[in-house]
Amino acid sequence: MKTLRVGVIGVGEISKIHIPHILNYMNVELVGIYDIQIEKAIKASQSFHIPYVSSYEELISLRPDVCHVLTPHDTHYEIIKDLLEHNIHVLAEKPLAIDYLKAIELVSLAEEHDVILSVCLQNRSNKTTRKLMSIIDNKTFGKLLSLRGLVYWKRDIAYYQKDEWRGTWRHEGGGVLINQAIHTLDLITLLGGEVESFYGSYFNYFLPEIEVEDQANVSIQFKNQARGFLSATTSNVIDSPVEIDIVLEKGRFKLIGDRLYQNTEDNLILIEKDASLHGEKFYFGVSHEKLIHDLYDFLLYRYGEVINAKDTLTCLEIITKIYQQKNVNKPMVIDHHLKRK
Ligand SMILES: NC(=O)c1ccc[n+]([C@@H]2O[C@H](COP(=O)([O-])OP(=O)(O)OC[C@H]3O[C@@H](n4cnc5c(N)ncnc54)[C@H](O)[C@@H]3O)[C@@H](O)[C@H]2O)c1
C-alpha cells in the first residue's frame, strides 16, 4: 500500500494541531518539518520524534506528496505557488492569500499542475455544518431566509505582541475579519449560496496599539433572496462560542459553538453535536483531524471529500473587497472568474 509523504512548513501554534493528526493517519510518512526559525523546528522535532530540515530547498528535495503550509498570512502566496509549481499537493492554513486575486491565481495554478489545493477552513467538516447543509438543501423547512453569525472573541495586546506579523496590514492582511471571523463568514457563504451583493465595514475601537481592525460587520444579499449577516470582534472579554442563527420559512435553528439546536418558540432542542475540543483553544474546533484525514484518503485512494480552495474563494473576495472599499457605503459584487481547464 502506498504511503503518503508529508512535509510541514511553519512550526508555530497551529502546527501543534496539525502534526499529531498527520502522525495518527495510518499510511503516512512525515518526511520533514521546516521553519524559518530553525530552533522551532528542532524543538518540535524533539517533542514529536520527527525529522526536521534546515532549508525549504531540502524539504522539496525529499519529494513530499503534500505539504501543510502553516506560516503567517503574507507568506502563503509565494510558498504555495512554489509548491504547486513542483507538482506538490497543498493543504494551506487560512487565508489562502491576503488578496483574493492572488488566491484565484493559486487555484488556477493548481488546476494547471493537476494537484489538489485545499484550505484549512475546518468548520466546513463539522457534523453540525453538514446537518445544516442538509436541512437547507432538502427544503423540509422551506426556503432559507437568513443567516446571522456572531464571533465575539478575545485577543488582547499580549496576543498581538507575541509575533511580529500579528496586527499588521502588511503581514496579517487585516484583523478580525481575515483571521478569526473568516471561518464563520465562510460558513455563511457556504450555506447561503450565490452572492448577489454585499456591504461591509471595519473599525478599530479598543486596540489602538495594532494597525488592523478589531471589529467588523458584513451584510450579504444572496441571489436566492436570503440575507446573511456577520458581526465580529476580537475585543470581547472572553472567547464566546460562535453563534449562527438560521431562519427558514418553516423553522429556526441555532448553532452555538459545537452544538446545533432547533429553535422552537420556547425551547432549544439539540439536534447535532460535534465532539468538543477542551482547553484554551476550544474555538479551533475538532475538525482539523477530519479535514486532514479526508484529504489524505482522497490523495491515496481517491475517495472522501476534499475542501477545495476553489470553493472557498467567495469568502476571501468579500473580505478583500471590504478592506479595499475602506468603509465607503456602497454595495459590492462578486466577480471572480476562474480559468477552466
Ligand atoms: N484554522 C484555524 O483554526 C487556525 C488557528 C490558528 C492559526 N491558523 C492559521 O495558521 C497560520 C499560522 O498561524 P500560527 O498561529 O501558527 O502562527 P505562528 O506565528 O505561531 O507560527 C508561524 C510559524 O511560521 C514560521 N515562518 C514564518 N515565515 C516562514 C517561512 N517563510 N517559511 C517557513 N516558516 C516560516 C514562523 O517562524 C512561525 O514558527 C496562519 O495562517 C493562521 O491564520 C489557523
Side-chain angles (χ1 to χ4, degrees):
M1 186 170 291
K2 184 175 170 357
T3 296
L4 201 66
R5 296 171 63 75
V6 180
V8 172
I9 302 169
V11 191
E13 277 307 310
I14 201 63
S15 73
K16 296 174 193 157
I17 304 269
H18 282 249
I19 292 172
H21 297 322
I22 296 171
L23 296 175
N24 71 10
Y25 188 81
M26 190 115 66
N27 300 317
V28 87
E29 184 188 351
L30 212 176
V31 295
I33 57 172
Y34 167 65
D35 196 291
I36 203 162
Q37 299 182 61
I38 188 134
E39 64 284 0
K40 285 193 168 186
I42 294 174
K43 197 167 163 217
S45 152
Q46 287 164 349
S47 29
F48 289 106
H49 308 289
I50 48 177
Y52 74 92
V53 294
S54 318
S55 71
Y56 174 78
E57 291 69 28
E58 195 183 338
L59 183 61
I60 299 297
S61 74
L62 296 173
R63 307 189 69 79
D65 298 304
V66 55
C67 278
H68 294 228
V69 178
L70 315 179
T71 55
H73 299 177
D74 61 320
T75 64
H76 290 181
Y77 171 75
E78 291 294 343
I79 296 173
I80 296 168
K81 182 167 179 281
D82 193 74
L83 291 168
L84 297 175
E85 284 169 348
H86 280 91
N87 300 316
I88 296 169
H89 303 290
V90 174
L91 172 58
E93 262 300 348
K94 47 55 109 173
L96 189 56
I98 56 179
D99 171 351
Y100 84 94
L101 292 172
K102 297 261 191 225
I104 289 177
E105 207 184 306
L106 293 176
V107 166
S108 298
L109 194 62
E111 290 188 347
E112 220 173 275
H113 285 260
D114 204 13
V115 288
I116 298 289
L117 173 57
S118 182
V119 63
C120 211
L121 287 159
Q122 72 274 9
N123 293 336
R124 284 184 169 228
S125 301
N126 291 353
K127 284 199 281 179
T128 49
T129 304
R130 282 149 189 259
K131 179 82 179 178
L132 264 177
M133 284 178 78
S134 75
I135 288 169
I136 293 171
D137 289 349
N138 73 23
K139 302 253 187 314
T140 314
F141 293 91
K143 273 173 40 182
L144 175 70
L145 301 179
S146 81
L147 296 154
R148 180 173 59 94
L150 304 178
V151 182
Y152 282 64
W153 285 0
K154 177 188 175 188
R155 296 291 180 275
D156 56 18
I157 196 61
Y159 164 87
Y160 288 103
Q161 285 170 345
K162 200 157 42 100
D163 303 288
E164 275 182 359
W165 64 275
R166 299 184 196 275
T168 62
W169 284 108
R170 182 164 169 216
H171 301 297
E172 190 170 351
V176 63
L177 203 49
I178 201 162
N179 196 334
Q180 288 79 20
I182 188 170
H183 290 288
T184 308
L185 185 60
D186 179 59
L187 291 190
I188 290 173
T189 55
L190 173 73
L191 297 166
E194 254 193 280
V195 172
E196 173 85 40
S197 61
F198 61 96
Y199 292 86
S201 58
Y202 62 99
F203 298 97
N204 184 323
Y205 291 137
F206 295 114
L207 284 170
E209 299 89 342
I210 61 167
E211 291 172 5
V212 296
E213 85 284 1
D214 69 340
Q215 325 269 324
N217 286 292
V218 183
S219 298
I220 302 173
Q221 177 67 62
F222 291 103
K223 287 194 173 157
N224 58 16
Q225 303 301 313
R227 292 212 169 131
F229 303 95
L230 172 83
S231 172
T233 179
T234 42
S235 288
N236 195 11
V237 294
I238 55 164
D239 285 313
S240 298
V242 167
E243 292 187 23
I244 305 182
D245 266 308
I246 305 97
V247 180
L248 294 121
E249 283 173 314
K250 292 181 267 177
R252 291 180 176 205
F253 297 85
K254 194 173 181 74
L255 183 85
I256 307 179
D258 51 25
R259 287 153 201 254
L260 177 64
Y261 301 92
Q262 184 165 3
N263 191 353
T264 65
E265 292 221 333
D266 42 23
N267 251 329
L268 286 179
I269 303 159
L270 184 68
I271 57 168
E272 188 59 278
K273 186 183 172 322
D274 282 287
S276 306
L277 189 67
H278 296 289
E280 218 185 310
K281 302 276 167 75
F282 73 90
Y283 46 78
F284 285 179
V286 288
S287 293
H288 269 100
E289 180 172 22
K290 176 157 174 45
L291 182 151
I292 292 167
H293 290 188
D294 280 356
L295 172 67
Y296 291 180
D297 283 345
F298 185 80
L299 294 177
L300 281 172
Y301 314 116
R302 295 283 147 187
Y303 77 77
E305 270 181 57
V306 172
I307 297 177
N308 202 315
K310 183 163 80 174
D311 303 326
T312 70
L313 291 172
T314 300
C315 170
L316 196 57
E317 182 168 347
I318 290 176
I319 292 171
T320 310
K321 285 191 168 165
I322 289 173
Y323 288 146
Q324 285 168 352
Q325 184 145 305
K326 297 189 190 307
N327 292 329
V328 175
N329 183 12
K330 270 195 190 154
M332 292 166 264
V333 293
I334 296 293
D335 58 13
H336 66 247
H337 300 290
L338 285 173
K339 276 186 271 161
R340 303 267 164 206
K341 260 191 182 179

